[in-house]
Amino acid sequence: MHEQQVEMLEQRVKDLEGMIEELMKFIAVDGDNLSIRAKGNLSISGLNVSVAADACASVKGAASAELLASGQTTVKGAMVLIN
């Protein structure tokens, strides 16, 4: 009897892990102020990645920064300053 209960609990845990894995595909984070910080590298990737700001957007690299595309690259603005 005890062995059957353990097997049933193990199956329930597997089922819950599967449900959590499926839910993680649809996670959305919303709040007044959010911050993401990594002590190591931080990577964001997807089929298409979009970043939008209602006021100002800024990307900074302490040592260097790069904008790179294997196809057409477009920079638009009312005034574009380079250097």
Side-chain angles (χ1 to χ4, degrees):
M1 179 81 169
H2 177 67
E3 194 173 306
Q4 286 178 328
Q5 289 176 328
V6 170
E7 288 177 9
M8 287 175 58
L9 285 173
E10 287 175 345
Q11 184 58 48
R12 286 182 123 179
V13 168
K14 286 181 185 177
D15 292 344
L16 287 171
E17 288 173 343
M19 290 171 61
I20 290 169
E21 188 175 316
E22 285 297 311
L23 288 171
M24 292 300 288
K25 295 178 182 176
F26 303 99
I27 296 279
V29 179
D30 191 2
D32 290 335
N33 294 295
L34 299 174
S35 178
I36 299 173
R37 182 167 175 82
K39 291 183 179 180
N41 296 328
L42 175 64
S43 177
I44 300 172
S45 65
L47 181 60
N48 294 295
V49 177
S50 176
V51 177
D54 290 337
C56 296
S58 175
V59 177
K60 296 178 184 178
S64 67
E66 180 178 48
L67 172 63
L68 177 68
S70 60
Q72 180 178 342
T73 304
T74 304
V75 178
K76 292 182 180 180
M79 183 187 312
V80 178
L81 304 172
I82 300 176
N83 264 352

